Amino acid sequence: MSSQKRITNAYNTARRISFNDNSKFIIFSDCHRGDNSFADEFANNRNIYFHALEHYYKEGFTYCELGDGDELWENTTFESIFEAHQNVFELLRKFYAENRLYRLLGNHDMVYKSEKFVEKNLYSYFNKVTGKDDPLFPEITFSEGLVLEHEETNQEIFMLHGHQADWMNYHGWKFNRFLVRALWRPLQVFGIGDPTSPARNYKELIKVERRTKKWIINNNNLFTITGHTHRPRFPEPGDIAYFNDGSCVHPRSITGLEIENGEISLIKWNISTTEDGTLRVVRLLLEGPQKLIDYQTE
């Protein structure tokens, strides 16, 4: 199956939800939540991420996580990830309980394609205080794609992780997972990164972006948002409508996309120092806001 067919399949099987100009969405991907060890890239930005997500929860946003939320290549169990970042999962549980959480499959959490794995690991968790199982994400499902359909304009916004444009990270993910666990994870302590990732391999990154653009062009410039490459993208109206939310494992910052008031913005959250030396987490607007309708095609 070609990259074009894989992306088409993600679109055809995507979960579809309606929205309007009063809807609010925050889109993150590539959190790579790990076990808080030296190899856990998320650990450096955990406080930034938690603060940002808490803000979006209080402001009534719906959270769309476009894959690679949990690092299940380097880590063999979800339990170790949950215990390392339980406060984050408790916040995600609040989103889910209010029907404000959508999670997509990425190459690093492709095991969530197994309903049995999801039921065993994500439906509930063992509460060590009470000694009982408490609900976490009961009945949660993962899909490859998500399509937002505007109630008035019928505009579609297609979201997917983006590894569909990357043969080895789609069909060969189990082999890549083996390499990461056996070889690259131990080497991370010396600063040697995983070359299978397009985020660290510029040639692969360009190939993934080129294939994704080709699909968008061949599908009437459909408004498309991905992650996977960790490289933020925010096109101008009239250009190829290819957006990327970046990642949550940038050095000392996270990036994402906000949809609010019928507009989209690229944002960054990072730690800033005030004049009195106090550290605080701040939100920075990088691009936009730009009206969604400006990307509408006839």
Side-chain angles (χ1 to χ4, degrees):
M1 184 185 295
S2 69
S3 61
Q4 303 303 293
K5 290 182 179 179
R6 290 193 295 270
I7 298 175
T8 296
N9 181 67
Y11 173 77
N12 289 337
T13 60
R15 183 170 184 174
R16 293 175 174 267
I17 58 176
S18 62
F19 80 108
N20 54 47
D21 287 350
N22 294 319
S23 303
K24 297 192 285 188
F25 298 92
I26 174 59
I27 304 160
F28 287 133
S29 74
D30 299 276
C31 299
H32 295 277
R33 291 180 289 264
D35 62 357
N36 206 29
S37 67
F38 65 87
D40 184 359
E41 295 178 292
F42 174 74
N44 293 326
N45 292 334
R46 174 175 54 189
N47 292 333
I48 299 174
Y49 174 86
F50 183 82
H51 176 85
L53 207 58
E54 195 170 44
H55 162 81
Y56 291 119
Y57 176 77
K58 292 177 180 178
E59 293 298 317
F61 280 72
T62 292
Y63 179 31
C64 303
E65 189 169 89
L66 308 191
D68 284 6
D70 301 326
E71 180 49 71
L72 288 164
W73 280 11
E74 295 178 357
N75 303 285
T76 57
T77 67
F78 170 77
E79 183 180 7
S80 63
I81 299 173
F82 176 82
E83 291 182 351
H85 306 295
Q86 186 167 346
N87 65 324
V88 169
F89 286 101
E90 288 177 351
L91 181 54
L92 291 174
R93 179 176 64 170
K94 292 168 67 175
F95 274 96
Y96 184 72
E98 298 176 17
N99 297 315
R100 291 199 278 145
L101 175 66
Y102 297 94
R103 295 186 64 181
L104 303 186
L105 291 168
N107 49 305
H108 281 253
D109 50 19
M110 190 76 97
V111 288
Y112 289 152
K113 197 169 186 178
S114 167
E115 294 180 4
K116 290 184 179 180
F117 184 93
V118 172
E119 180 179 357
K120 180 181 178 181
N121 291 277
L122 299 186
Y123 279 19
S124 62
Y125 73 98
F126 180 71
N127 189 322
K128 294 182 179 179
V129 176
T130 63
K132 299 179 181 179
D133 286 337
D134 285 347
L136 185 58
F137 307 116
E139 309 298 327
I140 192 172
T141 59
F142 289 74
S143 61
E144 285 194 36
L146 177 68
V147 175
L148 307 183
E149 300 176 324
H150 198 281
E151 295 173 355
E152 297 178 3
T153 66
N154 296 320
Q155 183 179 19
E156 292 186 343
I157 298 176
F158 174 38
M159 304 183 199
L160 72 165
H161 180 61
H163 66 302
Q164 291 81 358
D166 186 346
W167 189 93
M168 195 61 190
N169 275 308
Y170 189 86
H171 291 294
W173 68 271
K174 290 183 179 180
F175 178 71
N176 278 353
R177 182 181 64 180
F178 168 77
L179 289 180
V180 167
R181 288 179 179 176
L183 182 60
W184 301 117
R185 188 176 193 270
L187 291 177
Q188 275 189 304
V189 71
F190 301 108
I192 300 175
D194 168 21
T196 65
S197 169
R200 296 188 177 92
N201 188 324
Y202 187 72
K203 289 184 178 179
E204 287 302 313
L205 183 152
I206 294 302
K207 289 179 182 178
V208 167
E209 291 187 346
R210 184 174 66 244
R211 293 167 188 155
T212 306
K213 288 179 181 178
K214 179 181 178 182
W215 186 88
I216 295 171
I217 292 171
N218 291 337
N219 286 270
N220 198 28
N221 202 29
L222 179 64
F223 195 124
T224 302
I225 302 174
T226 74
H228 189 52
T229 67
H230 296 198
R231 181 160 86 155
R233 294 185 61 92
F234 195 93
E236 294 292 329
D239 293 341
I240 300 172
Y242 175 31
F243 290 78
N244 192 303
D245 60 16
S247 83
C248 292
V249 291
H250 297 295
R252 296 172 296 280
S253 68
I254 67 175
T255 59
L257 292 165
E258 294 176 356
I259 294 177
E260 185 178 12
N261 299 320
E263 298 176 328
I264 187 167
S265 303
L266 176 66
I267 50 87
K268 178 174 78 170
W269 291 82
N270 68 296
I271 295 177
S272 177
T273 307
T274 62
E275 292 183 0
D276 64 359
T278 303
L279 298 179
R280 63 190 184 99
V281 180
V282 298
R283 172 190 173 277
L284 299 175
L285 178 66
L286 299 180
E287 299 281 353
Q290 188 72 49
K291 291 185 180 298
L292 297 174
I293 196 64
D294 290 344
Y295 299 93
Q296 176 75 299
T297 55
E298 296 297 333

